[in-house]
Amino acid sequence: MDNMKCPSCGGPMKRNGRAPSGAQRWRCRSCGASATHSNDVAARELAAFVGWLLSRGTQADMPGRGRTFRRRAALFWPMWPMPEVMDEVFRVVYVDGIWIARDCVVLIACSDEHVLSWHLARAETTAAWRSLLSRIAPPDMVVTDGGSGFASAVAAEWPRTRVQRCVFHAFCQVKRHTTSRPKLQAGVELYALAGELLHVETLQQADWWVERFMQWCEFWSDFLEQKSLVEGRMAYTHRRLREARSGLVRLVNAGTLFTYLDPALCAEGPMPATNNRIEGGVNSQLREVLRSHRGLTKLKRVKAVFWWCYLHVECPKTMADTLREMPTDADVDLLRERYGMRAEDASRPEKWGEGLVWEELHHKTRYPFRNE
């Protein structure tokens, strides 16, 4: 039965004798191209490995309690699925970081439909954010939860991109200081003002909110200046309220609270005010993957996040292409060797994300020192 398709034109092929190795040879009925069919077992096993990694399945439910699966999976754990440069321009890009451990975070950028890029770092520093942003074409607006180092990074890499601070995170920042049931009248009023951020829909409402917030700051200024003796030192009595006020003042002064209402940005349609797209569409699913495989080492948890992101880009490569093109731990070690940056322990991802080694996997050239 002729079921082989021509790799050149896609037309049907017919059997055409055998190759010297004994493999069946096929010939295209349309263009005359000749080819042999190969059964890519490695690609099929990689697909099975990734399917398990991103599912809730357990090895205990597999035949032989997963012994065969673990032997085959050992071939794929060293792989690093890396993002490509994204030169398509989007109206909105959402950015956030998901923490794997205290000193290990994966920074992620996505659009309304797909994951765009990701970057492994030790902390949310300016250099780490710049490594992520430099691989993505500057959008019209970027939505962020206000992570440390991001403001400097976006000013350096995307100077013309407008920044929208997620209003829900701004509300939560106030809530952390006042609690949801504040006891002081100043806290009650500030908490109510922060809650109104979630319902601002016009520029007039935004201006009215800023005016009311300034009135609150002026009315309670003397109250917030009160000090008391704490452990032998004079300290502000209402420190938490002052911190909540300072956070909102910085956002108002920076002009990032109501960017989504800018008429120039909204000309082609409404813009988002929150980071819900990446929180619900990416981070929550990644946490579910990590929760389902919570026995993995830190390095393997990082790679699980990488695999999820890699399979949710707009056009992920086939498993066969992934096997051929993606770097491995050996490639990373080669880069360390070449640049003289040896790690004390190759299983410590906190050593990565800094210096030239990891930058080579994230920046301009496409794995120039890959070990063939």
Side-chain angles (χ1 to χ4, degrees), residues 293-353:
H293 304 292
R294 52 187 175 272
L296 296 177
T297 64
K298 179 164 59 174
L299 179 58
K300 290 183 178 180
R301 293 199 302 273
V302 169
K303 292 186 177 182
V305 171
F306 272 47
W307 275 115
W308 191 95
C309 293
Y310 178 71
L311 294 183
H312 286 81
V313 299
E314 184 175 4
C315 299
K317 297 181 181 296
T318 65
M319 290 301 167
D321 291 339
T322 300
L323 278 171
R324 287 193 297 267
E325 299 181 13
M326 291 303 160
T328 64
D329 290 341
D331 298 321
V332 175
D333 291 339
L334 178 63
L335 291 174
R336 287 200 188 103
E337 178 81 21
R338 180 156 301 195
Y339 286 101
M341 299 180 64
R342 296 178 180 273
E344 297 175 359
D345 185 353
S347 63
R348 295 175 59 187
E350 64 267 21
K351 289 290 186 182
W352 304 351

Side-chain angles (χ1 to χ4, degrees), residues 25 30 75 95 142-143 145 153 161 177 182 214-215 252 254-255 272-273 277 297 312 341 345 348 351 354-355 357-358:
R25 190 186 296 277
S30 302
L75 302 175
V95 297
V142 58
V143 186
D145 63 357
T161 297
H177 295 298
M214 292 298 127
Q215 292 175 354
V252 170
R277 165 65 183 92
T297 64
H312 286 81
M341 299 180 64
D345 185 353
R348 295 175 59 187
K351 289 290 186 182
E354 297 180 353
V357 174
W358 199 245

Side-chain angles (χ1 to χ4, degrees), residues 158-318:
W158 296 347
R160 297 184 180 181
T161 297
R162 302 290 303 280
V163 177
Q164 169 62 48
R165 176 65 180 325
C166 175
V167 295
F168 180 75
H169 282 87
F171 163 73
C172 290
Q173 182 178 354
V174 174
K175 182 180 177 181
R176 281 195 298 272
H177 295 298
T178 64
T179 75
S180 59
R181 295 182 179 180
K183 296 180 180 180
L184 299 175
Q185 183 60 29
V188 172
E189 295 178 8
L190 184 60
Y191 179 76
L193 274 173
E196 292 179 11
L197 281 173
L198 306 177
H199 307 288
V200 175
E201 298 179 352
T202 64
L203 283 176
Q204 291 75 17
Q205 293 176 354
D207 293 338
W208 175 235
W209 185 93
V210 173
E211 182 179 350
R212 291 173 60 198
F213 175 63
M214 292 298 127
Q215 292 175 354
W216 180 92
C217 293
E218 183 179 357
F219 183 83
W220 293 103
S221 59
D222 293 338
F223 176 76
L224 296 179
E225 292 297 324
Q226 294 178 5
K227 293 186 176 182
S228 56
L229 189 63
V230 179
E231 297 180 355
R233 299 178 56 186
M234 297 300 295
Y236 287 107
T237 305
H238 311 292
R239 179 182 57 83
R240 296 177 66 85
L241 271 178
R242 290 176 58 86
E243 292 175 353
R245 179 190 63 177
S246 299
L248 289 179
V249 167
R250 283 193 296 270
L251 293 178
V252 170
N253 291 339
T256 59
L257 263 181
F258 304 111
T259 306
Y260 68 100
L261 298 175
D262 190 329
L265 294 175
C266 298
E268 299 181 9
M271 303 295 274
T274 66
N275 224 6
N276 291 348
R277 165 65 183 92
I278 195 169
E279 289 287 351
V282 178
N283 288 354
S284 62
Q285 298 187 48
L286 287 173
R287 292 189 182 98
E288 178 62 27
V289 169
L290 298 177
R291 188 162 46 246
S292 300
H293 304 292
R294 52 187 175 272
L296 296 177
T297 64
K298 179 164 59 174
L299 179 58
K300 290 183 178 180
R301 293 199 302 273
V302 169
K303 292 186 177 182
V305 171
F306 272 47
W307 275 115
W308 191 95
C309 293
Y310 178 71
L311 294 183
H312 286 81
V313 299
E314 184 175 4
C315 299
K317 297 181 181 296
T318 65

Side-chain angles (χ1 to χ4, degrees), residues 121-167:
R122 298 187 66 183
E124 295 186 27
T125 62
T126 298
W129 280 115
R130 291 191 65 175
S131 296
L132 176 73
L133 302 183
S134 64
R135 297 182 56 82
I136 307 172
D140 296 333
M141 187 179 83
V142 58
V143 186
T144 174
D145 63 357
S148 60
F150 182 77
S152 301
V154 74
E157 296 293 336
W158 296 347
R160 297 184 180 181
T161 297
R162 302 290 303 280
V163 177
Q164 169 62 48
R165 176 65 180 325
C166 175
V167 295

